[in-house]
């Protein structure tokens, strides 16, 4: 409903106005307080509007003649309030969302998950969006809770992620409903902004320093969904006056990561030792060789610059601005003793660089923060924020989660990235469906045992590890680090059957394409041969006419008319030449040549891939 209001031209505050008028109209008394109106809005629509924002909205209602304010209270005037649109839109929105919930119940039932009501199914969808999307939105509060260890998605959450991903892939009516919900959620979170008016203004020369996983995603090395959403965000940031930056230390980190793949990707044992990640799936799926990875590392700067990123040396540290970096390293380390590992030192360097850019300047809003380090690591962001505020830092912290940054930018220009929220959700669903590191290691160990026993070839093992289908089947089967060998073997058989079916489907599609090309070539050759033969026949007729009528003719006319007739007449006497046979031979030869010509680009493409 917020999205409908926003699309109708309401600004980031006015889009809440209809909910306020609806609440005012529902109160039976003539007088009311702002707090009472807020309670009614929350009970009717689930919106918690901060008191200051609510007073602004009520002030607009006063200016419009619906209310008058006196002694801290608001009194309804005689001007009628047309609030029928809100209940009507509420009913329509609930109806649309129930169709989405009903579809989830049907899919869950097929997987043996019983959802008693549509309300229960809808609650699963909303909880998933809140956990993986909305909670990382726009909260600028300095109160940072202790980061909790994430136990990973539950079976219900995995089923929900699989369902939502399917909805997005089908891109039908339910996808539109989901898109409405996502955009409405982000609009709702403008209530968390300290400066709501800033939501529609461009960033003020904000430097956005990107982390390495986001850069790998932008380069297409972490899957299509992440590539799409990351590039959309990069374009949106540029459109809203942000500057995209990459520190040289991040380039070095990316090269260190690629060096590991270059070392291990060339052997079966090395491939088995690679950590399960989107990068691993990419390189294994592409059948990359060490030389391919080495080339990728060499072209990093060039490719990132083409995508619009500016590569910079991190600014020289100024200790008075960078706070206690030793404490930051301890906060970022996953366990004691890891404070000096490259990953931790890289994050410390980037956060210190951002604080040096700011030079002590404090801003309550990201819009005027000057610089920020953006990461997709939830624990990294939480640790960085926690450290900053414990150090006495004020205003917007030096690190932000990519989803939060995306929501900030999207609020400024929703039309510039209309599908960004859906593409981000697709990437989040993929992440939720990935097996835990322990479950994946357990599965890979089983694969290696089968390879040693000769039941799997090295090529089959690589194909299974690289296949997206593997993760889907592991999620569907609920495989964990305690699953038995029989369950793991069933997963392997399903994956093998799946990629064989894909191969057969691809073969059938290729055969269909070849048949289509063959038919097209035959038609082209048939028309060309008939044109040639009819032209030749016309020449024979002309030759006969010239011979019968006589008279003085020009040399070209005589040659055109008489020579073909003479030549083909002699051929007819010598070997029984006929025009019909000539046409058939021309058609056959030409069809073969046209078919080769039409398939050459396809073959060239396959070779390059």
């Amino acid at each position: 409903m917020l999205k409908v209001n926003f699309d109708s031209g309401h600004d980031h505050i006015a889009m809440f106005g209809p909910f306020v008028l609806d609440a005012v109209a529902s109160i039976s008394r003539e007088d009311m307080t702002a707090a009472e109106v807020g309670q009614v809005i929350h009970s009717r629509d689930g919106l918690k509007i901060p008191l200051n924002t609510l007073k602004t909205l009520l002030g607009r209602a006063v200016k419009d003649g619906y209310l008058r304010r006196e002694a801290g209270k608001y009194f309804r005037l005689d001007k009628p309030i047309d609030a029928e649109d809100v209940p009507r839109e509420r009913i329509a929105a609930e109806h649309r969302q129930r169709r989405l919930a009903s579809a989830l119940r049907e899919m869950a039932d097929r997987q043996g998950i019983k959802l008693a009501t549509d309300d229960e199914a809808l609650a699963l969808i909303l909880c998933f969006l809140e956990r993986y999307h909305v909670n990382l939105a726009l909260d600028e509060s300095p109160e940072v809770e202790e980061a909790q260890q994430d136990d990973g998605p539950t079976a219900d959450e995995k089923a929900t992620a699989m369902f939502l991903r399917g909805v997005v892939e089908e891109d039908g009516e339910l996808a539109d409903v989901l898109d409405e919900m996502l955009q409405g959620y982000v609009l709702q979170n403008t209530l968390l902004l300290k400066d709501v008016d800033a939501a529609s203004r461009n960033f003020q020369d904000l430097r956005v320093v990107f982390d390495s996983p986001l850069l790998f995603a932008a380069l297409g090395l972490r899957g299509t969904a992440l590539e799409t959403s990351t590039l959309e965000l990069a374009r949106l940031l540029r459109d809203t006056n942000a500057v995209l930056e990459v520190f040289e230390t991040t380039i070095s980190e990316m090269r260190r990561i690629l060096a590991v793949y270059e070392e291990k990707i060339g052997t079966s044992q090395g491939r088995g030792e690679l950590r399960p990640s989107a990068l691993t799936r990419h390189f294994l799926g592409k059948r990359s060789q060490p030389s391919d990875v080495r080339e990728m590392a060499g072209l990093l700067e060039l490719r990132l610059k083409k995508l619009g990123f500016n590569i910079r040396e991190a600014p020289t540290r100024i200790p008075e601005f960078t706070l206690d970096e030793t404490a930051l390293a301890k906060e970022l380390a996953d366990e004691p003793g890891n404070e000096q590992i490259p990953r931790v030192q890289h994050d410390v360097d980037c956060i210190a660089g951002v604080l040096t850019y700011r030079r002590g300047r404090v801003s309550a809003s990201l819009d005027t923060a000057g610089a920020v380090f953006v990461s997709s690591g939830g624990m990294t962001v939480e640790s960085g924020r926690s450290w900053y505020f414990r150090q006495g830092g004020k205003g917007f912290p030096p690190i932000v989660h990519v989803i939060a940054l995306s929501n900030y930018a999207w609020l400024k220009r929703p039309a510039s990235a209309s599908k960004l929220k859906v593409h981000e959700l697709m990437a989040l669903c993929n992440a939720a469906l990935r097996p835990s590191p322990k479950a994946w290691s357990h599965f890979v160990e089983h694969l290696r045992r089968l390879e040693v026993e000769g039941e799997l070839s090295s090529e089959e093992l690589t194909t299974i590890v690289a296949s997206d289908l593997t993760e889907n089947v592991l999620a569907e089967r609920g495989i964990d680090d305690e699953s038995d060998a029989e369950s793991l073997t069933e997963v392997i058989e399903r994956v093998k059957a799946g990629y064989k079916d894909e191969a057969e489907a691809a073969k059938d599609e290729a055969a269909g394409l070849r048949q289509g090309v063959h038919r097209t070539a035959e038609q082209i050759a048939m028309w060309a041969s008939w044109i040639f033969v009819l032209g030749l026949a016309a020449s024979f007729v002309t030759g006969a006419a010239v011979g019968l009528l006589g008279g003085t003719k020009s040399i070209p006319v005589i040659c055109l008319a008489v020579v073909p007739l003479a030549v083909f007449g002699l051929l007819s006497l010598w070997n029984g030449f006929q025009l019909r046979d000539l046409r058939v031979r021309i058609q056959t030869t030409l069809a073969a040549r046209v078919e080769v010509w039409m398939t050459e680009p396809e073959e060239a493409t396959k070779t390059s891939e």
Side-chain angles (χ1 to χ4, degrees), residues 348-360:
V348 170
D349 290 342
C350 289
I351 291 175
V354 164
L355 290 173
T356 303
Y357 272 151
R358 292 183 179 183
R359 292 180 173 269

Side-chain angles (χ1 to χ4, degrees), residues 139-146 194 382 385-386 389:
D139 188 3
E140 299 173 347
S141 171
E143 291 82 18
V144 180
E145 298 179 358
E146 291 291 335
K194 291 182 175 66
E382 203 61 36
R385 282 169 51 88
S386 175
F389 292 121

